[in-house]
Amino acid sequence: MKLWEGRFTEPSAKSADDFNQSLSFDYKLYWHDILASIAHVKMLGETQIIPKEEADTICDSLVNILADIEKGNLSIEGAEDIHTFIENELVKRIGVKGKRMHTARSRNDQVATDLRLYVKDSIVGVCNKLKALISTLLQIAENNIQYIMPGYTHLRRAQPVSVAQYVNAYSEMFLRDLERFTDCYKRTDVMPLGSCAMAGTDFPIDRKMTASLLSFSEISQNSIDAVSDRDFVAEYIFCCSTVMAHLSRFCEDIILYSTDEFGFIDISDAYSTGSSIMPQKKNPDIPELIRGKTGRVYGSLTAILTVIKGIPTSYNKDLQEDKEALFNAEETVLNCLGIFNELLQNISFDTRKMRFAAAGGFSTATDIADYLVQKGMAFRDAHAVTGQIVRHCIENHKTLDKLDLYVYQSFSSLFGEDILERVKVNRSVEARKVVGGSARSAVRENIRSITKRLNRMFKD
Ligand code: ARG
């Protein structure tokens, strides 16, 4: 049965019903819909808007419906949306009493409430996966403090760094994602129920009671806004989008670093794929797919932002389009976080190749410039002198650590014997003791700080 057919004289067209329905995707809200209805009906009973015994009967029946769905004894089908489905089922089970459930409520505030409950739970789920991922990264960092790799800018060798510092960079990104979700949670944690269709209700409902039953921290303050506010959905998908951006960048590195050309890492066979025609190939399909799926989540973000931008004030049916965008983004980000975490644990580093590559590309040139500055030369001049030394090396097929002292001294009399030590890769990494720098002590401090911030975020 439809919830709205009273004023109609003709039955609706099947094609119109099919187009209008949302049950094929909003069935996912069944748990939260039932939870919200139980809280609402309890409040209706407590405030004597409906008789207490009837409220109890409704709640008992809702609990049974939930149990039947969970057990697979009740399949969700044959209604316009999940709200209609649950209400029809209730009326089927307890008759006319069930029809009281929708007192002082509209599907407009109901769906907004369900969705907020859903997003709150979803944020917790995604955050737990992010936490697991950061824990894996911290472990990898701990195990690789002593190993050196090239650090890149513009994908050209820039300066040597440790594998641990490189991995920590991603922990920082995922920590920011966690913070963003935590912040999004605050704005999601507001209950719209009681806004009804759009103007509130004349029943003496107790919104605070319902909110506390549903563990909402706040209640919305404007019914017109509350029924159509989907900012929290857009924000949630944006949070998912930054996670995907970070995963995608990491995947790009993994794909690149596992090529024969780089040869820095190896992805275990269990997480690699072959080619149907080229027997020699071992392909990085998993990181490629994560990189590719990032587009989906950005697509969902564009979809929700576009839905929101066009609607006139208050509820419009366009908002039904919020759900698939949300569910798709959620599913993608959860899947990708899960498999990526596994992938990371199945990667090995070729530390010798990385170390070798780190020494190439004149990656300690900045150390020479800094050396000259410490001896009194202005940085710009030091930069120019170092540039000439690099050119000399290129022309003479030399590396910075293979130049004789007298060659250095031919470029500047400020060079002393200690320059030969300064251009060594290990020395270069260790020299950057500044907070956030590449020195082992700084990287250890970075690991400590990431661990602390992570624990702080999960303490309550
Ligand atoms: N299925 C609808 C949605 O997802 C529920 C709200 C319907 N409200 C209405 N006034 N037609 O938005």
Side-chain angles (χ1 to χ4, degrees):
M1 208 194 70
K2 296 201 177 64
L3 299 177
W4 40 263
E5 60 197 4
R7 62 103 60 217
F8 291 81
T9 51
E10 267 188 279
S12 55
K14 163 118 184 21
S15 54
D17 282 348
D18 288 348
F19 189 73
N20 198 33
Q21 67 84 31
S22 51
L23 190 65
S24 58
F25 47 88
D26 70 9
Y27 71 88
K28 275 184 167 237
L29 294 175
Y30 76 85
W31 201 89
H32 299 94
D33 190 73
I34 292 176
L35 201 70
S37 287
I38 292 174
H40 176 66
V41 171
K42 265 193 194 306
M43 179 277 293
L44 291 179
E46 292 297 326
T47 51
Q48 288 168 7
I49 293 171
I50 67 172
K52 182 97 172 40
E53 319 74 64
E54 291 196 13
D56 290 344
T57 311
I58 296 173
C59 289
D60 289 347
S61 185
L62 285 170
V63 170
N64 291 334
I65 292 173
L66 181 58
D68 285 345
I69 296 174
E70 300 271 85
K71 281 189 243 148
N73 294 340
L74 176 63
S75 49
I76 303 177
E77 59 196 5
E80 179 185 330
D81 56 24
I82 188 62
H83 326 293
T84 314
F85 174 81
I86 303 287
E87 192 170 328
N88 287 350
E89 185 61 28
L90 186 69
V91 175
K92 228 188 268 169
R93 292 186 183 205
I94 60 169
V96 70
K97 284 183 195 165
K99 295 187 179 176
R100 293 204 193 276
M101 175 169 72
H102 212 52
T103 312
R105 186 176 77 171
S106 149
R107 275 188 300 165
N108 297 353
D109 59 345
Q110 185 181 357
V111 70
T113 304
D114 294 359
L115 211 56
R116 283 176 182 268
L117 287 170
Y118 185 94
V119 170
K120 282 191 349 168
D121 281 349
S122 178
I123 290 175
V124 174
V126 178
C127 286
N128 284 332
K129 291 238 177 211
L130 279 168
K131 182 186 186 206
L133 177 59
I134 297 172
S135 303
T136 302
L137 289 172
L138 284 169
Q139 195 55 56
I140 296 175
E142 286 281 4
N143 297 342
N144 289 283
I145 294 188
Q146 73 276 33
Y147 297 119
I148 289 174
M149 66 183 282
Y152 295 90
T153 62
H154 310 269
L155 208 53
R156 306 295 192 263
R157 268 171 279 192
Q159 289 172 317
V161 295
S162 68
V163 175
Q165 194 195 4
Y166 164 74
V167 168
N168 281 349
Y170 280 94
S171 284
E172 292 286 354
M173 294 179 221
F174 293 122
L175 261 183
R176 284 200 297 278
D177 291 332
L178 268 175
E179 277 170 18
R180 248 187 295 276
F181 273 115
T182 311
D183 208 50
C184 170
Y185 189 95
K186 285 184 225 150
R187 279 175 293 280
T188 308
D189 195 13
V190 181
M191 189 195 73
L193 205 60
S195 303
C196 292
M198 58 84 71
T201 178
D202 55 356
F203 287 100
I205 58 172
D206 184 342
R207 296 187 66 203
K208 288 206 170 127
M209 183 192 297
T210 322
S212 113
L213 287 170
L214 289 172
S215 301
F216 274 112
S217 303
E218 285 174 50
I219 57 176
S220 59
Q221 301 294 313
N222 182 305
S223 60
I224 302 174
D225 173 49
V227 291
S228 65
D229 172 16
R230 297 293 184 276
D231 297 357
F232 68 99
V233 178
E235 216 177 319
Y236 170 88
I237 303 177
F238 177 74
C239 295
C240 292
S241 298
T242 62
V243 172
M244 291 305 298
H246 298 146
L247 284 177
S248 186
R249 291 181 66 191
F250 210 158
C251 284
E252 172 63 13
D253 282 359
I254 289 172
I255 293 162
L256 212 56
Y257 292 171
S258 61
T259 56
D260 290 335
E261 285 73 11
F262 275 82
F264 292 174
I265 61 174
D266 183 54
I267 305 173
S268 80
D269 285 0
Y271 291 83
S272 301
T273 42
S275 155
S276 61
I277 174 167
M278 296 164 282
Q280 84 285 9
K281 289 205 65 186
K282 180 164 149 181
N283 290 333
D285 285 23
I286 289 179
E288 285 172 342
L289 268 176
I290 295 173
R291 195 178 55 184
K293 282 176 191 287
T294 304
R296 261 174 204 259
V297 179
Y298 291 6
S300 295
L301 182 61
T302 308
I304 186 67
L305 289 173
T306 312
V307 165
I308 290 172
K309 94 174 178 61
I311 54 173
T313 310
S314 157
Y315 182 83
N316 295 265
K317 190 65 173 244
D318 317 37
L319 290 173
Q320 183 166 285
E321 288 291 308
D322 57 3
K323 285 168 225 36
E324 283 166 296
L326 167 69
F327 297 149
N328 202 302
E330 178 196 36
E331 191 185 324
T332 309
V333 85
L334 286 175
N335 269 341
C336 291
L337 281 170
I339 192 75
F340 187 72
N341 194 348
E342 282 182 46
L343 180 78
L344 275 184
Q345 293 168 51
N346 285 278
I347 276 177
S348 53
F349 297 104
D350 188 333
T351 49
R352 282 187 52 216
K353 265 202 180 151
M354 284 177 152
R355 171 73 178 66
F356 185 75
F362 312 105
S363 64
T364 54
T366 313
D367 296 82
I368 300 176
D370 288 347
Y371 175 96
L372 290 172
V373 169
Q374 280 148 16
K375 298 269 168 175
M377 194 181 279
F379 182 76
R380 273 291 145 244
D381 294 335
H383 186 285
V385 169
T386 310
Q388 286 158 18
I389 297 173
V390 169
R391 198 171 64 221
H392 172 90
C393 287
I394 294 170
E395 284 164 0
N396 295 282
H397 307 290
K398 291 273 190 192
T399 55
L400 294 172
D401 58 337
K402 297 276 161 7
L403 280 189
D404 290 323
L405 179 58
Y406 75 88
V407 181
Y408 276 110
Q409 285 171 336
S410 69
F411 287 95
S412 166
S413 57
L414 292 174
F415 284 117
E417 191 126 13
D418 50 348
I419 186 59
L420 300 174
E421 189 55 29
R422 282 294 288 270
V423 293
K424 294 214 171 110
V425 165
N426 282 11
R427 168 67 178 68
S428 168
V429 172
E430 275 310 302
R432 292 175 168 76
K433 294 193 198 312
V434 62
V435 175
S438 59
R440 246 176 289 188
S441 57
V443 172
R444 278 209 188 88
E445 187 46 46
N446 193 194
I447 292 177
R448 265 195 296 276
S449 147
I450 292 165
T451 311
K452 210 161 97 194
R453 282 176 279 156
L454 185 64
N455 291 339
R456 202 188 307 139
M457 232 173 280
F458 279 85
K459 82 178 182 316
D460 32 48

